[in-house]
């Protein structure tokens, strides 16, 4: 049983294969968090609650003369607000005549089988045959009339718990939510480190590790998208936790908009972690009888370090989150036109690129930005989703036919959420974009953002995107988004509801994607937001792969893909071979290395093969063949990070191992070479210790234990930026 309730101890126990999560109803009805970690036998945990009469820690009214119980220090599952807990709360609200307190008490619970769909938002689904149960606990605050429904979907075999929160107004007056966290995780101590992933456009998801210290440390986004700057994923870990040992807890927020994750060390050195929609600038009215659904979080625990934690997330995201039929289908190797031509193309040029691409073994040709409206640069045309006949004389339909005749599939780029002021759409509907009345709109990439909080705008977009997809045979869509949101004011909402716009925008986006995918379920969608600006779990629900970064430099990509891999699977990371000198950094790296790094994700090309030498083309052909031959291992194998590029400056290595451990691929790139260099070694992981393996191209056989304990030498002949791929087979 994944979910149990011990009525005597008033304890809820959630068990996955390796972990337990325990909550308890306090003697005054509060829901306390007792434990999350290694799987426990049945055991009373009450002894862990150390209650005491502490100065300046108020006691709830119902505690009467009991001065030892205070919300100021007990670990809670969903905190109260302005009721004696001074830590950063799970909820903030205003109701009735201005009351701002909330104190939810357990009023009931139920256990249902399976995982329920989250209203209007993505979430994990249970698969047939999986033992998934959902526990729902109701917290009541009769004074404000607000109820909180906490849902815990326990994916037993997957070792994750998907938490979500719904606020229901049972009162007779409106409640204005100002903060509603999707998960609060209270720890009894705070001797931990935090890992989070931050960066900027072209350098996303760099690993950061800091110690928990006094006060609140928060990361988040207020850019309208989950952002290049901070990813909605955080790890709390023990101080000595590393890649392969130690305890760590992951929190992934399944949301693509403004978010906040905060870690607070309190006066008693306890840690509280909150994750949810960013409360800055957020408010949402919940009228009597209505409810507000907060996004889901996916929690996981690992007792074997970050590597195991990542593999838990990789599996559950790949299998239970992605719902595209492509989640377990072989996906095409693509060539994208962006770095090949930018805006400078016509149909003849695209066809000549495509002809060379097919000759390399590419399966899918993607026409990037510039094919529609008046779009010769990035100053105009967004919103006008009609082919540009000036550029594409034969039109998109015939172009697609020609590409198919060559034996490839065809894909297009779109950026539906945006509008250029120089566009027919803007001239027709200037009121459809987000801007404040009387204030000129802030521009980003010289474009404005459509108001997706409006249903009419969303419906227009559904129609526009569906007609793009019906315009020709189109098997792939790159769905881009190239600026941050600024003024989130909507002409359709009154003053009191403007705090809802940023969230309604995301709900609108999910609605549009849902509708378009429903009509075109066979299309492979790729997410993009200037590369990796919206690389979050929610997007994977719609788009099984995401353009990882606009930075295609192989060496920078080592760090970007390394950071990304902590939460997201290889099958989600689109990665392409581009030309050198690299367009973003000017760096020159060998073509072989660019191929190896791009095979750290969903492999493709971002270049013009008509400009390549016969030798280069032959090399690309070999890369494609290698990738296709080992496709399942690369994209579905268990993923092991062998080095940390922030610590090991000399080389970066990673490894995929098939589930049955019979086959493995080791990839390695030299990042720094010194004269008369030291001999370095890399220890492999994930192999069967007692079995023997052959390494393709090497003499002899090696026991799994030797390869993992003693390692293999980094080939001395590899120069700076040189790389190697090794295939291992169990013999
Ligand atoms: C940003 C994307 O990340 C690029 O790959 C490219 O599609 C451009 N937008 C096109 O404008």
């Amino acid at each position: 049983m994944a979910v149990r309730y011990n009525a005597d101890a008033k304890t809820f126990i959630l068990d996955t294969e390796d972990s337990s999560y325990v909550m308890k109803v306090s003697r005054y009805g509060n829901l306390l968090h007792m434990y999350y970690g290694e799987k426990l036998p049945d055991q009373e945990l009450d002894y862990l609650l150390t209650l005491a009469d502490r100065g300046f820690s108020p006691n709830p009214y119902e505690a009467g003369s009991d001065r030892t119980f205070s919300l100021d220090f007990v670990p809670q599952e969903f905190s109260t607000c302005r009721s004696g807990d001074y830590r950063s709360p799970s909820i903030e609200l205003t109701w009735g005549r201005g009351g701002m307190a909330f104190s939810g008490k357990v009023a009931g619970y139920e256990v249902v089988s399976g995982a329920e769909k989250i209203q209007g938002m993505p979430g994990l689904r249970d698969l047939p045959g999986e033992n998934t149960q959902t526990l729902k606990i109701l917290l009541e605050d009769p004074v404000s009339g607000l109820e909180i429904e906490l849902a815990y979907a326990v994916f037993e075999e997957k070792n994750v718990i998907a938490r979500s929160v719904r606020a229901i107004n049972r009162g007779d007056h409106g409640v204005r939510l100002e903060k509603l966290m999707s998960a609060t995780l209270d720890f009894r101590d705070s001797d931990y480190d935090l890992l989070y992933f931050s960066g900027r456009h072209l350098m996303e998801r760099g690993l950061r590790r800091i110690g928990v210290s006094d006060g609140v440390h928060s990361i988040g986004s207020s850019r309208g998208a989950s952002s290049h700057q901070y990813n909605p994923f955080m790890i709390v870990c023990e101080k000595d936790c590393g890649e392969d040992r130690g305890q760590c807890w992951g929190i992934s927020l399944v949301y693509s908009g403004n978010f906040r994750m905060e870690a607070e060390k309190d006066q008693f050195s306890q840690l509280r972690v909150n994750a949810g929609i960013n409360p800055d600038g957020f408010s949402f009215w919940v009228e009597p009888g209505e409810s507000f659904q907060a996004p889901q979080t996916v929690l996981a625990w690992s007792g074997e370090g970050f590597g195991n934690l990542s593999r838990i997330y990789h599996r559950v995201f790949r299998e239970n989150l992605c719902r595209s039929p492509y989640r377990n289908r072989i996906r095409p190797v693509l060539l994208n036109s962006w770095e090949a031509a930018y805006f400078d193309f016509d149909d003849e040029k695209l066809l000549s690129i495509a002809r060379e691409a097919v000759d390399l073994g590419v399966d899918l040709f993607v026409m990037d930005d510039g094919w529609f409206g008046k779009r010769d640069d990035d100053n105009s045309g967004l919103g006008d989703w009609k082919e540009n006949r000036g550029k594409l004389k034969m039109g998109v339909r015939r172009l697609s036919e020609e590409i198919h005749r060559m034996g490839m599939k065809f894909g297009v780029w779109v950026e539906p959420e945006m509008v250029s002021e120089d566009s027919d759409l803007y001239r027709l509907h200037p009121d459809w974009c987000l801007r404040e009345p009387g204030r000129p709109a802030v521009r980003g990439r010289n474009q404005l953002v459509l108001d997706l909080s409006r249903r009419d705008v969303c419906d227009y977009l559904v129609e526009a995107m569906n007609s793009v997809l019906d315009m020709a045979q189109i098997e792939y869509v790159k769905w881009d988004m190239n600026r941050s949101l600024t003024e989130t004011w909507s002409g359709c909402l009154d003053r009191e509801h403007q705090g809802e716009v940023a969230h309604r925008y995301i709900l609108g986006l999910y609605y549009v994607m849902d509708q378009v995918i429903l009509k075109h379920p066979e299309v492979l969608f790729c997410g993009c937001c200037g590369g990796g600006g919206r690389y979050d779990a929610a997007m994977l629900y719609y788009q099984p792969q995401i353009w990882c970064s606009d930075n295609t430099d192989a060496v920078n990509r080592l760090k970007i893909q390394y950071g990304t891999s902590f939460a997201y699977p290889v099958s989600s990371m689109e990665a392409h071979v581009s030309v050198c000198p690299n367009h973003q950094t000017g760096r020159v790296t060998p073509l072989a290395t660019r191929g190896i790094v791009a095979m750290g994700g969903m492999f493709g090309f971002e270049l013009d093969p008509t400009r390549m030498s016969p030798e280069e083309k032959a090399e690309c052909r070999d890369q494609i063949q290698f990738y296709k031959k080992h496709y399942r291992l690369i994209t579905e194998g268990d993923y092991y990070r062998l080095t940390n590029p922030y610590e090991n400056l000399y080389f970066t290595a990673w490894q995929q191992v098939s589930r049955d451990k019979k086959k493995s691929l080791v990839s390695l790139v030299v990042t720094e070479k010194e004269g008369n260099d030291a001999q370095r070694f890399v220890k492999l992981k994930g192999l069967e210790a007692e079995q023997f393996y052959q390494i393709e191209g090497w003499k002899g056989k090696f026991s799994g234990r030797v390869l993992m304990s003693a390692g293999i030498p980094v080939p001395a002949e590899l120069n700076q930026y040189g790389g190697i791929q090794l295939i291992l087979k169990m013999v």
Side-chain angles (χ1 to χ4, degrees), residues 201 336 338 343 368-369 375 378 413 415 445 478 480-482 528-532 547 549-550 606:
H201 179 224
N336 183 43
W338 182 241
F343 291 104
D368 206 282
D369 198 354
R375 185 80 172 160
D378 56 11
W413 177 97
E415 192 178 1
R445 208 193 192 196
K478 179 177 177 187
D480 208 345
M481 194 273 194
N482 281 301
C528 179
C529 174
W547 179 225
S549 175
D550 271 354
E606 192 79 24

Side-chain angles (χ1 to χ4, degrees), residues 388-401:
N388 180 332
R389 281 285 187 153
K391 262 183 181 171
L392 303 178
K393 309 253 171 346
M394 63 176 62
V396 175
R397 179 177 293 275
R398 263 209 48 217
L399 181 68
S400 158
E401 284 166 5

Side-chain angles (χ1 to χ4, degrees), residues 22 32 55 95 160 232 288 321 334 339 528 551 571 598 613 627-628 650 668 672 677 686:
V22 184
L32 305 183
W95 58 275
V160 303
L321 185 61
L334 68 85
E339 286 196 23
C528 179
N551 186 344
S571 62
S613 68
Y627 175 72
K628 289 185 176 174
Y650 297 103
L668 183 148
E672 178 71 32
D677 216 344

